Amino acid sequence: MRIITQAEIRIIGCLIEKEITTPEQYPLTLNALTTACNQKSNRDPVTSMTDSEVLDAVNSLINDRLVTDETRGNARVAKYQHRFCNTEFGSLQLSKQEIAILCVLFLRGPQTPGELRTRTQRLCDFDNVAQVESVLNKLCSEEASPKVVKLEKEPGKREARYGHLFCGEIEDSVAVNHTHTHTHTHSEQTSNDNTQRMDELEQEVALLRAEVAELKQLINDVLA
């Protein structure tokens, strides 16, 4: 598999995430996919990609057979589905836990096992942080094609972070200089989780509104 761009990995991460969390809205239209790429929750960094930029990246992924156009029949709105893993003809076979970890790494960059356990809760279940570390070690240990790498500990941090390798090697400076502004006390984590859930609900409402607008346009086109 070639080195994937940051825009492309964001798209793959979004498609994986929405397939699991909002299957009723999956596959995604271009409008919904752009909204998912640019949402303010569960994304680091937050982006402002245009429909045109997303479509260019999607077309590149289609050429690599990592995404397919799932438009049916006479539908006028294209819908996209990932073929990143666990396909009949692909070699990349992953467990639910491996998919969840990679999805969150695609969407939020390098993270600690503790952060990954918290942020994968909507995607799969982990009994404890040790289980997350076990899956990470498996993803790191594949000699032929490691998918994840353990990074240097940041100054003052107790846990090392892990990053994915689908966009190429991660520079040491990224590991050393990447900082998080959030503290990790229990009360603040709870507050952050509540805010995150609200953001997710707002995002789902936005996606539904986009779908309704597209359906209205289709009806108007048919009646015109």
Side-chain angles (χ1 to χ4, degrees):
M1 185 183 295
R2 68 175 174 85
I3 293 176
I4 300 172
T5 68
Q6 294 293 338
E8 291 166 352
I9 209 67
R10 173 64 62 91
I11 287 168
I12 291 173
C14 288
L15 290 172
I16 293 172
E17 178 192 56
K18 301 307 180 185
E19 178 186 25
I20 298 171
T21 61
T22 55
E24 69 280 1
Q25 298 175 25
Y26 186 82
L28 298 185
T29 65
L30 177 61
N31 190 335
L33 181 54
T34 301
T35 300
C37 286
N38 295 333
Q39 72 180 58
K40 295 180 180 179
S41 62
N42 299 322
R43 304 291 184 265
D44 187 9
V46 173
T47 59
S48 55
M49 298 169 66
T50 64
D51 284 348
S52 177
E53 290 170 335
V54 172
L55 184 58
D56 286 345
V58 165
N59 286 334
S60 180
L61 291 168
I62 289 175
N63 289 336
D64 288 337
R65 299 183 180 180
L66 293 173
V67 167
T68 55
D69 185 338
E70 295 296 315
T71 308
R72 303 297 184 189
N74 295 323
R76 300 189 183 187
V77 179
K79 291 192 173 185
Y80 302 103
Q81 178 171 314
H82 79 86
R83 288 286 183 267
F84 176 71
C85 61
N86 299 349
T87 61
E88 182 179 356
F89 302 105
S91 60
L92 186 58
Q93 301 295 315
L94 301 171
S95 69
K96 288 183 179 180
Q97 291 179 330
E98 290 170 334
I99 293 171
I101 284 176
L102 288 175
C103 175
V104 175
L105 290 176
F106 292 168
L107 295 176
R108 302 190 69 143
Q111 295 159 75
T112 67
E115 290 170 332
L116 286 168
R117 186 193 178 198
T118 298
R119 293 165 180 170
T120 55
Q121 288 179 351
R122 295 184 309 130
L123 307 177
C124 74
D125 294 322
F126 284 103
D127 294 333
N128 48 49
V129 174
Q131 192 175 25
V132 177
E133 292 175 335
S134 176
V135 176
L136 286 167
N137 289 335
K138 181 182 177 183
L139 291 169
C140 290
S141 63
E142 298 178 18
E143 293 184 7
S145 57
K147 299 167 181 60
V148 169
V149 62
K150 186 176 182 178
L151 306 176
E152 295 180 27
K153 284 186 181 180
E154 295 178 286
K157 300 292 184 180
R158 291 185 299 174
E159 287 187 288
R161 294 176 304 128
Y162 291 78
H164 73 84
L165 293 172
F166 289 91
C167 294
E169 294 292 331
I170 301 174
E171 297 291 337
D172 289 343
S173 59
V174 174
V176 173
N177 295 330
H178 185 92
T179 59
H180 297 280
T181 59
H182 299 295
T183 59
H184 296 284
T185 65
H186 177 72
S187 61
E188 289 176 334
Q189 184 64 53
T190 300
S191 176
N192 289 339
D193 288 345
N194 289 337
T195 300
Q196 177 177 310
R197 292 189 184 98
M198 289 298 297
D199 287 343
E200 289 165 2
L201 288 172
E202 290 175 358
Q203 176 63 21
E204 290 178 10
V205 170
L207 289 171
L208 288 171
R209 286 176 175 171
E211 293 282 353
V212 170
E214 289 166 355
L215 287 171
K216 286 182 178 179
Q217 185 61 51
L218 285 174
I219 292 170
N220 289 336
D221 290 343
V222 170
L223 296 177

